[in-house]
Structures are given as C-alpha cells and as structure tokens.
Amino acid sequence: MTTQQQPPVLSIEGIIKDYPGVRAVNDVSFSVESSTVHCLIGENGAGKSTLIKMITGALLPSQGNMKINGAPYAPTSTQNARENGVATLFQELHVVDELSVLENLTLGMEQSRFGFLIKSDLEERVIQTLASIEPSINPAARVSSLSVAQKQIIEIARAASSGASVIIMDEPTASLSEREVERLFTVIRKLRSQGVTVIYISHKLDEIIALGDTVTVLRDGKHIVTKPLSEVSGRPELIDMMIGRCVFESYTPRNNLSEEVILSAKGLSNNMLKNVSFEIKKGEIVGFYGLVGAGKTEIARALFGADEVAGSIVFKGEKVGGSPKEAIAAGIALVPEERRTQGLFTNLTIRENIPVMNLRRMSNNGIFRADAELSAATHYIDQLRIATSSIEKHTEKLSGGNQQKVVLAKCLFSKASLLLLDEPTRGVDVGAKTEIYDIIRNLADEGNSVAVFSSELEEVLGICDRIFLLYTGSLESEIINGPDVDINDILNIVTGGNRGVTA
Amino acid sequence: MNVPIKTNTALSENRRLSDQMYITLLVASVAIGLFLIASVFVPNFFQLQNMLNLVTNNWAVISLGVGVTFLLVSGNFDLSVGGIVALSGVLSVWFAQSIGSSNALSSGLGLPYWVALLGALAGAIAIGGLNALFVVKFRIPSIIVTLGTMMVARGIAQVITQGSQRNTNLPDEFGVLGSLKVFGTSMQLPVVFMGLLLLAAIFIERKMVFGRITYWVGANPVAARLSGIDNAKHITYLYLFSAAIAGVVGILLSSEYQSGYSNRGLLMEFDALVIALLGGIAIAGGFGSVIGMFFGAIILAVVTSAATGLTLSPDWQYILKALAVFLAIVAQTWALARRNK
Amino acid sequence: MSKLTRFEVASTTLGGQVSQFLRNYYIYFVLIAIVVFLSLTNLDRYELFERGNFLYERNIINILRVSAPILVLAGAFTLLMVSGYIDLSVGSTMGLSAVIYAMLAINGVPFLAAFAITTLCGVLLGTFNGLLVVRFKITPVIATLITLSLFKGIALLLVMDGVSAIKSMGDLKMPSWFNAYGREGVLLGLPMAFWVAVIVTITLVVLQNRSLLGKYAAATGGNPTAAKLSGINTSKVVFVLYAIVGACAALAGIARSSFMSLGDPLSGDGMELTAILVVLIGGTAFSGGEGRVLRSFVGALIIMTITLGMLTLVPAYYQTLVLGAVLLGAAASNHWISRKDHAS
C-alpha cells in the first residue's frame, strides 16, 4: 500500500456508548484508510454491533466524534449516513422484489423531468458498475427471480453507484453458499480496486484472513488493536486477541449427572441443517455453540417442532417434533431467539404472559383459574427476581433482562423437563445474566435437562456440561466441559478451521 | 417446583387499572355523558323507555358485535355476518314453507319447523367454515375473504328468494320466536337472546381459558404458536361461532317479520364493526372487550337517536357514524399514548 | 482459488417460463374464453342484447358503455393497491361526485366546468383519505370505511328534500349534454365516458411504467423499508395516489350519473367490491408491490362481461353469488401463484 498522507476515510475518535448499567462501547478510537477492506472482529457482546449502529446513524454515541475524509461526521439516521457516503449492507435485504434489477439500482436516484423518468447517463453508469462487479446479472431481470447472494450484490452495486465511499457489511456471508462467498469476495476486491472502502464484519476468521487488509479487534467494548493483516501471523493470533486473558465464568463440574438419555435426535436435516445427530441426558446442561448461521436456532426450533425437519427426534421414548403444542405436551419448552417478536405478548401484562404455556394447569373445566395465574405470576416475580413495580406492568415496558425473565417464567411454568434456551442472555445486562445462569443450574440440579443455544463462548463454557460445536449447519465436534478445555481449539473449529481451509 | 398459593401483597396492592379497563371505562363514560347531554337538548330523551329502546332496538347488531369483537381481538375481520343474517333467515323460511304451491316463491321444502331452524343454522355455520378455510388454510387476508363470503351468503339468499322475499305458506309457529314476550313482560325473546349472549361472551372473555387464548392469538400469533397454542383451530372456532350467532340473528329476524328477505341485514357487518371500533377494540388484535363493544353500541344509538329526536334527516346517521368512529380512534390513541408516556 | 461459476438465473427453466407467460397473459385468454363462450349461447331471451350473436356491434357497445365507470377507476385503484394501500370509499366518492355533477348541470353550469369542478372535488375527497391515512395514521381499511360513511352521508344530504336523486323536475331540466357523455357514441359508436376511461388508463399505464410515481408506488408496496432508505417520501407517494383514486372515482361518478341521467347518491354503492374484484382478477397482490394497470383494465372488462353476459344464462339475482364466488376464487388463485413464486 502506498503511504500517501491523505486523511483516513473514516476516523473514530473516543467513541463511548452507555446503556443503563452497561458501557457497551468504551472509548474506541481507530481509523479506516481509503481503498482498503477493514475487518472488524470481536466476540459477541464485544461492542461491534453497537459501534456499527453509531457509524450508520442508527444510534447516537454518548461521547466522542467521527470524521469522514477529515470532516466532522455525526449521522442522525441511516439516510443521513448514506448522504455522507456511508452505505450499509444489512443482514436483512433491502431490495424491492417486484422491481427489475435496473430499477432497484437507480431507486431513489432517478433523473426525472416533471415527474417522468428520463434517459440519463445514470442508467449507463449503474449498469456499468453492476457489470464491473457481477456481469452475470441481467439488469432487466426481476429481482424476485434472483438468489439471496445476487440480491446482496444488487445492494452492493447500488451502494457503489450511489457514490458511497464506505460500505459496511455486517456478516454478509451468513446465508451464502461457499461458491457464493467466493463470488462476493471477488466483488469486494473489485470495489476496493475502484477506491471504495469496505468495513467487513464477520466471525469467520478465514474470511478475514482471505479478504482483509487491516483488522480491528474489539473486546468487552474496548478497542484492543488495529493492525494490518500482513502483520498477523494467523488464526491463533486473531483468536488470542479476541479472547485475551478474559476471565470466564468458572465452570464447576456438577456431580449428579445421570446416564439416562432423555432426548435423542438422529439425522436432522433441512435447508440449514446437515444430518445432525446428538443425545441429551437427564439432568445435564448441554451447549450448542456456533457462529451466526451455524444452525443453532434451527436445531432448537426443530426439536420444538416449530420448523419442519427430516430425521427423527425421540423424547422420553416418544416421537416429537410435529408441532410446538405436541412438544410442550411432551415436556419440552423453548425460549425463542427473538424475545419481543417470538416470546412475549408485549401489549399484555406480566401476569397475563406467564400462564400461556400450561393451559391444562390454568383450566378448571374450561374456566380460567385467575387465582392460579396470580399466584404463579407473583411466585415467578419473586423467584426470578423480576424487577417491576407491578404485576400488571405491560411487558413492553420492562428492561431486556426482565423481559427475558418473563419468557423464562413462561417456560418454567410449563413444567417442562427439557428446556431449550436460544440465546438466553442476548441483550441482557450482566446482573441479570448471572441470575439467569443460576436459574439454569438450579433447574438442572432438580433433574431437568437444559439445552443452551448460544453464540457466546463465555456462556457455554460457564454453564454447560457438554458442548456441541456447530459450523454452517453441521455438528462438528463434541467436547466435555472442564478446566482443561482448549479455547483456541473451540474457536478454531467454529470458525471453520476443521474444514481443511488454509489458516 | 411447587407454586405456593400466596400473594405478594406489595405487588398486588399496586395493581393499577389495566389499559383495557381504562379504555372500557372511557367508552362507558362517553356513552353515559353523551346520553346526559342528549337528555338536555332532545325533548323526551330522558325516559326509562327510551333508555331501554337504545339497547333493545339494537339487539341484532349488538349480537353480531359479539362474534365480530372476538374475531377482531384475535386479529381478524368478519364482514360476512350481514350476509349470513340474510342467508339463515331465507333458509329457515324456505325450509319451513310447505310444498306444492304453483308460485315458486311460495313453495318450500316443507320440513318440520325445528328441522328448518337447524338447517338454517347449519347453512350459516357453513359460511363460517368457508371463512375459516380461506383465512386459516389459504392464509388470505380476512377482509378479502369475508367480503367474498358476504357476497356468497347474500347471493345464495338472493337466488333462493329470486332477489325478493318469501313470506307465504309458512307454518303457524314460524312467527313465534321473533315476537315471543318473555316472563309476561314486554321483553321480547330476541332481546333476551342478546342479553344472554352478552353475559355468556363476557364470561368466556373474562373467565374462560378460551377467552384468554383469543387475546394471546391476537396479541402475538408467533409467540402464541411457540407457546403451544393451536392458532388455526382457535380462529376456526371463532369464525364458526360468529357465523352461528349471525345465523340465530337471521332466524329470529325472519321469524319476527315472518319473511325471508334477501336484503335483510344489509350493512349490518359494517355497523357491527363500527360499534366494535367505538368500543375501543384495536384492529391490530389483542386489545378490546365485549363490554366496550356494548358501550360502543350505546354511543352509536344515542348519537343516531338524538339526531332523530332533533329531527335531523336520517341521512345524518352516516356522517355521525363517520365522525364518531374518527373521534373514537383518535381519542383512544391519544388517551393511551398519554397514559403510557 | 476455485473456478468462478455463473449464478443460476432462476427463471430459465421451461416451467418457470411457462408460469411467467401465463401470469402475464392469462387474463387475455380468460377474456377471450368468456367472449367465445357467450357467442355460443342463445341471447334471444334478454332485452339487453341484440338477438343473435353476442359479438354483434350493439352488444359490444352496450357492454363498454355500462363498463365505463369501473374501467376509469380500475387503473388508479390498482396503483393504490400496488403501493400496499386500499380505498373502500370509492363507491361513496362516486355517489357524491354524481350528485355534485348533476347539481352543477341542472343549475346551468356548462359541461366542461361541471366536469372539471367535479373531478377536482374527487381529488379533494381522495386527499382527505390520504390525510386520515398518512397524517392521522389510521389503518387504511378503517380510514376509508370512515369516509365511505361520511361521503355517502354528505351525498344523501345534498339531495334531501323528499327525492332520492337529482333529476329533471319542474323548472329544472337536465341539459342535453348531460346524457350524451355517457350514452351517445362519438367515436366507433362509443360514448365519451368510455374514451375518457381509455385516456385515463393510457395515462396511468405511462405513469406506472415511466414515472417516478409508478416506480415509487411499487417500491412502497414491495419493500417500504427499502423505499424509505432510498430516500423516497412514501407518505407523499401514498397521498398522491389517494388523490388520483379520488379523481378517478369522480370520473366514474360522472360516467354513471350521465348514463343513468340522474345524480343518484347511491349510484356507487358496492363499487369498492367491484374494484377489489377487478384488481384481484387482474393479478394484483393484496399485499402490495405487484399489479399492472392494463391487466386491471382487462379484468374490468372480464367482470363486466361476466356480469352482463350472465344475464343470458341465469336470472339477474344470481349475480351476487357468482361475483362472490369469483372474488374468493381470484383471491385463492392469486395466493396460490404467489406462494409458488416464493417456494421457487
């Protein structure tokens, strides 16, 4: 790289973001040089998403400044960020399926006279941009006929032709096949050669090494290092920087483990899962650890009967997996990944949320047992220490941690003997986290089984007896938790290091 | 883990009025307030008989409102009820008419009276089943489906009556149900039906598991499914119940008028929706109550009858309905936003 | 590095092409099929039709004259549905416009002025809908149900004193042009009302294909978030579309009142149902994003041909039933097509 003395395209100066009780981003400063692929890595909860949200204008920093090409930059909305040349490729696609590729590329930038579209060099330009990065896409095709990867490229091309100098990509390969990933990389390299800067966020370290020029590592909200990837010796160094001397919640081996298998899953396969088989024993806490898109949620939903899956799931000698209703009746409960949209009835009160998963208990010949509801609600508010002024509080007004406890209370009330917890502590503050871990341990000590599906290593290492490692939909390895677990090995496996890819 | 039956007094004492009760009280006080205002301005308004009439004259729409309310709370429209009223009324007449008149409209199937009633009810429930099939199985928006079934139901009624009505050759007992006075009072059977239906609905809504499930399904269908609730089954029941209520209303009306008229119940689905909206039921689902709907009906009744009392043209009712719904929606949104600030 | 493979383009398969072709052109086949079917039936029993063949010139003219109101409305209604919104008040807007138009005419306002004023009133009524939806954020279904009631009430009040509609009475006489607009042939034997519908449809086709509005309507209905992120003022788009629907509903009111020679406040009753039926037949998605003006125009022709053609086969009182069944059928088939789309 040449060392011209032009200002960095984006510089972050002392950015801090505080949430009640947590400092999500703590005094982060680094700069992004023009025409590079700048990778951002860190464990879940390291502050990456929060930082990105501030760069794209979705969040306002509590303190600190940003500069674009040396000029002050304080975006107030995603729209505003775009106008400043910062475009974002979100995980959910923002293309209009019903329009053609060309129409999508020019959306919002059209040249018009009296409201009518006129021919301009814009179309030429966007077609050229598209052709230069992905010639196989026909500009006249309807976007609905394209694959996810192609749609992603349409978004990239739109960002590039709108004159964005920085394009942020957040886990862009999460839903792509290997071949498509390769294609995306080619596109990114072309963009770089055309003077565009890409900020690339991914958990897949091989991608980082294959693609990046510079890497910035965040840990616990703090900036650890920014350095050229040429100076990084390889995966182990990246992994070391990500975990540091991080103190893990100490795992204490539990002694009442039984050998009785409570659930066995064989050959689970669907569009995400590849022939996944495992067993869960009575009284144990198992972890399913993997990155975004590794198939954790899919396994949880399959066990619960929420999604269709090939293969067999036998729970306490009975076949399950037909429907959530069937699973709950058999004694399985799920704390879903998205608590607001999948777990809670946000416009109902805490009291009204708790009894839903155990209607048999709430029903007295069809009459709703209001007394049982009230006592259950007060009981769980006590037991889980849900912080609320009233049992009648609407759950949408609770904090993330308390919302999660309400969802947990729902599941506990179902008296399930197997609890599936999908990202049980996502967006939950530290205090509530520890409390949730205690609840999980207590449950297991009482003879229930718990499966924790998590993308936080600290979490699975802290509480799980046994951990399954997942990578892109297949179960790669199983490890027994204990003091001599090799963290680097785990991270190596879940980032694809087991696959013979060059590291 | 055993849940001990104990109440945390600190939390229970702090139970504040739920949003639901707040809005219902708001609607009720608006209804009463409007009644008092009307009593001041409209001659002869403040009379016991008039108060009773406000309710009894609207027994049909209030009854339909029960089914519509439950469906709205579950997040679904039912615009087919007006059509079902016409259909079941016409069916009950056609089934009961004796056979063998030379006039096509005078000749029916000659079934025993009670069979005719059951048949009419079955016809009504069949339309409810059609609603459920399209909404639950094919996942077509309920507003489109129930507009379609409204036309189908009324269309069948029109075919049977050849676009007009059937009112001859009926057995003597046909007119009894609709005009029967109960308990030696002036209270007619249809009004009693409405009263019992309201009580049952409030009981189901407040006290039964079925009622609670309706709220869960409407508040968050995804969470409801992941909590083990069979949404499809529940919504199917609601459509069947709503259609059955409309069926009974149609039978009672045809008995009262001793005729099966294909245009009976025209726009009743609209009025049922209006009183539900006035009563504070949110079309997004998961919010609202039958009591609210009842007071919504009172508001509408007070407004329209006061307009009549002030000798405004009956055409004013359309404008008044529009204004009432608009104000109700804006006021409720505002009140909730302010309260939950 | 591995070899770069080309992306598979999803719709190059034969099955894909066939379904694409069917989706684009099926509606024309349906129309032709219905016309052929009717040509084979015996029309002798019914007054509306000339004896003999259905394809007789006067029959065609008759159908097109009666269809003018829905033909002029279908395109605008489609654009609004494409943007993901709906207007249930079109029938009342029609009725109110019919009354206004007739009142102007009977009071001596010349044709062009009456025409322009009424259309402008339609724009205002549509804007009012837009206001409720965009500013007051009332759900489109409810907002336009409110105005359905409101506009109908106003129309009924305008014709109060003891009559049901505005027509020639005593000293007040409808001018001769009033009837001509909707009935008398000016070109190819077709009246002005029909040609206005054609012009409006052509304009809307051009708007849909060539203007920002047409494109933004599709973007707003297809992916509102993407539209907003691209800097599109979706509220404005929706607002303008409601105004256009209002204007077209007014034109429909003018056409119908001229055809019936009276200003009937109820003349548009049920029009929202017909309009929904027509756009669904034309393949418009209820969820927004998808739908073509021209296909809805053909859809309107189909519905009117069915409605009138049915009279040759069954008595008039079968109409509601058949149209209801067609509505359910169209909704189900749209749903079926779009689900296949998503599955692929």
Side-chain angles (χ1 to χ4, degrees), chain A residues 469-490:
Chain A
L469 302 181
L470 303 168
Y471 180 70
T472 59
S474 48
L475 207 154
E476 294 283 317
S477 173
E478 175 193 336
I479 54 173
I480 309 287
N481 201 359
D484 47 357
V485 166
D486 182 354
I487 293 167
N488 291 44
D489 185 42
I490 293 176

Side-chain angles (χ1 to χ4, degrees), chain A residues 46 51 57 71 144 248 316 328 353 368 397 423 442 502:
Chain A
L51 181 66
S144 58
F248 281 102
K316 290 182 175 168
I328 291 172
N353 263 278
F368 191 77
K397 287 171 219 149
E423 302 289 357
N442 284 336
T502 44

Side-chain angles (χ1 to χ4, degrees), chain C residues 10-254:
Chain C
S11 62
T12 46
T13 60
L14 184 65
Q17 278 173 340
V18 168
S19 92
Q20 186 73 37
F21 178 80
L22 278 181
R23 184 159 346 131
N24 288 341
Y25 299 105
Y26 79 97
I27 189 149
Y28 303 97
F29 295 123
V30 173
L31 181 60
I32 291 168
I34 289 170
V35 170
V36 168
F37 176 72
L38 287 173
S39 319
L40 298 175
T41 52
N42 175 17
L43 303 177
D44 287 1
R45 286 182 297 166
Y46 296 95
E47 283 174 22
L48 183 76
F49 297 99
E50 291 285 322
R51 281 157 204 277
N53 197 333
F54 175 81
L55 285 173
Y56 197 71
E57 186 189 332
R58 275 199 53 86
N59 288 339
I60 307 276
I61 289 176
N62 243 331
I63 288 186
L64 294 182
R65 289 202 305 194
V66 182
S67 311
I70 185 64
L71 289 177
V72 79
L73 180 60
F77 204 83
T78 309
L79 279 183
L80 186 66
M81 293 265 286
V82 164
S83 76
Y85 288 75
I86 195 167
D87 186 353
L88 298 179
S89 75
V90 285
S92 296
T93 308
M94 248 182 97
L96 180 51
S97 311
V99 170
I100 293 173
Y101 183 60
M103 284 177 92
L104 291 169
I106 212 162
N107 286 309
V109 179
F111 168 66
L112 275 180
F115 189 87
I117 293 171
T118 310
T119 314
L120 195 69
C121 286
V123 171
L124 288 179
L125 298 178
T127 313
F128 188 72
N129 278 325
L131 196 75
L132 292 191
V133 170
V134 172
R135 284 275 162 273
F136 287 92
K137 302 206 186 312
I138 301 176
T139 330
V141 169
I142 301 301
T144 56
L145 271 180
I146 291 175
T147 53
L148 179 154
S149 192
L150 182 70
F151 300 163
K152 189 179 195 168
I154 297 174
L156 284 168
L157 282 178
L158 284 178
V159 280
M160 238 166 34
D161 18 37
V163 285
S164 61
I166 293 181
K167 54 190 168 194
S168 301
M169 245 188 339
D171 294 340
L172 289 173
K173 286 266 184 287
M174 282 292 186
S176 58
W177 53 258
F178 190 80
N179 203 287
Y181 174 77
R183 279 181 175 269
E184 275 168 31
V186 289
L187 179 63
L188 298 175
L190 290 163
M192 200 94 118
F194 174 79
W195 294 114
V196 168
V198 170
I199 293 166
V200 165
T201 305
I202 293 173
T203 313
L204 291 176
V205 167
V206 174
L207 269 181
Q208 180 168 40
N209 295 334
R210 308 263 160 192
S211 78
L212 288 178
L213 184 69
K215 187 176 172 187
Y216 288 178
T220 305
N223 189 339
T225 323
K228 280 184 199 129
L229 278 177
S230 306
I232 295 168
N233 184 345
T234 53
S235 302
K236 197 167 134 194
V237 171
V238 172
F239 215 83
V240 171
L241 288 174
Y242 269 112
I244 294 178
V245 170
C248 288
L251 290 176
I254 294 174

Side-chain angles (χ1 to χ4, degrees), chain A residues 296-452:
Chain A
K296 302 182 297 283
T297 299
E298 286 74 12
I299 294 177
R301 289 179 62 94
L303 294 183
F304 193 57
D307 290 335
E308 279 184 28
V309 67
S312 85
I313 306 167
V314 177
F315 179 69
K316 290 182 175 168
E318 279 173 68
K319 233 179 120 50
V320 293
S323 71
K325 190 177 179 175
E326 182 186 297
I328 291 172
I332 303 177
L334 168 76
V335 171
E337 183 183 20
E338 298 271 341
R339 67 174 156 268
R340 288 186 57 83
T341 56
Q342 302 171 336
L344 281 180
F345 302 91
T346 49
N347 69 344
L348 298 181
T349 63
I350 301 176
R351 170 176 59 82
E352 291 164 319
N353 263 278
I354 287 176
V356 62
M357 284 172 92
N358 195 345
L359 294 180
R360 264 179 303 183
R361 198 182 149 92
M362 296 315 297
S363 168
N364 180 4
N365 297 318
I367 307 293
F368 191 77
R369 292 183 53 202
D371 57 331
E373 176 187 50
L374 192 62
S375 63
T378 34
H379 169 76
Y380 284 114
I381 287 179
D382 264 1
Q383 194 204 347
L384 307 188
R385 277 184 274 157
I386 298 173
T388 173
S389 57
S390 158
I391 189 171
E392 298 296 323
K393 195 156 189 161
H394 285 222
T395 49
E396 66 193 328
K397 287 171 219 149
L398 297 174
S399 72
N402 284 309
Q403 284 184 340
Q404 190 69 356
K405 286 182 187 171
V406 173
V407 180
L408 213 55
K410 251 175 71 184
C411 290
L412 294 184
F413 188 65
S414 78
K415 302 290 161 200
S417 42
L418 170 61
L419 262 91
L420 312 171
L421 311 178
D422 196 356
E423 302 289 357
T425 61
R426 179 180 285 176
V428 164
D429 59 274
V430 182
K433 235 179 194 175
T434 325
E435 289 176 12
I436 290 175
Y437 294 151
D438 286 341
I439 296 166
I440 294 174
R441 281 195 204 94
N442 284 336
L443 278 170
D445 288 343
E446 285 165 22
N448 302 297
S449 311
V450 183
V452 177

Side-chain angles (χ1 to χ4, degrees), chain C residues 266-316:
Chain C
L266 304 181
S267 60
D269 274 22
M271 196 60 164
E272 64 284 347
L273 279 175
T274 318
I276 289 175
L277 196 53
V278 158
V279 298
L280 284 181
I281 289 278
T284 305
F286 196 73
S287 51
E290 184 74 67
R292 309 300 302 175
V293 168
L294 194 58
R295 274 186 235 163
S296 297
F297 187 84
V298 181
L301 287 178
I302 290 177
I303 291 299
M304 291 310 286
T305 316
I306 292 180
T307 315
L308 297 172
M310 218 159 48
L311 295 174
T312 66
L313 304 169
V314 289

Side-chain angles (χ1 to χ4, degrees), chain B residues 1-223:
Chain B
M1 260 173 298
N2 244 328
V3 181
I5 305 285
K6 64 152 191 175
T7 18
N8 182 325
T9 43
L11 285 168
S12 299
E13 274 167 17
N14 210 353
R15 279 179 76 165
R16 60 173 207 160
L17 211 51
S18 71
D19 281 356
Q20 184 70 71
M21 281 310 278
Y22 176 70
I23 287 294
T24 307
L25 281 179
L26 201 71
V27 173
S29 30
V30 168
I32 294 165
L34 279 175
F35 180 77
L36 294 177
I37 295 171
S39 304
V40 173
F41 290 100
V42 183
N44 302 326
F45 201 85
F46 194 77
Q47 287 178 357
L48 184 65
Q49 191 55 46
N50 188 45
M51 291 184 213
L52 283 177
N53 286 349
L54 289 178
V55 179
T56 55
N57 289 348
N58 292 299
W59 71 268
V61 173
I62 295 177
S63 304
L64 297 181
V66 169
V68 170
T69 299
F70 269 85
L71 274 162
L72 281 176
V73 168
S74 81
N76 294 278
F77 282 102
D78 189 356
L79 298 178
S80 66
V81 288
I84 296 176
V85 166
L87 176 66
S88 75
V90 165
L91 282 180
S92 72
V93 170
W94 183 47
F95 289 159
Q97 275 178 320
S98 48
I99 316 177
S101 166
S102 55
N103 183 345
L105 282 180
S106 300
S107 181
L109 298 185
L111 298 173
Y113 182 50
W114 64 273
V115 178
L117 294 191
L118 284 182
L121 199 58
I125 292 174
I127 298 290
L130 208 56
N131 285 333
L133 177 73
F134 274 73
V135 172
V136 170
K137 272 265 177 281
F138 301 158
R139 300 186 186 192
I140 300 169
S142 59
I143 185 161
I144 294 287
V145 170
T146 55
L147 273 178
T149 51
M150 167 185 92
M151 291 171 79
V152 167
R154 194 173 293 288
I156 297 173
Q158 283 174 353
V159 169
I160 295 173
T161 59
Q162 306 192 353
S164 138
Q165 58 176 327
R166 287 173 171 264
N167 54 8
T168 48
N169 260 334
L170 284 167
D172 292 339
E173 67 265 34
F174 193 86
V176 172
L177 279 182
S179 47
L180 189 68
K181 303 265 194 293
V182 183
F183 315 131
T185 61
S186 63
M187 198 76 97
Q188 293 189 320
L189 185 66
V191 178
V192 174
F193 165 73
M194 175 205 73
L196 293 178
L197 183 65
L198 276 178
L199 290 180
I202 292 168
F203 184 77
I204 292 173
E205 176 193 283
R206 296 280 128 207
K207 297 287 174 202
M208 290 191 67
V209 178
F210 187 88
R212 183 58 75 77
I213 292 178
T214 311
Y215 284 90
W216 281 321
V217 169
N220 187 344
V222 177

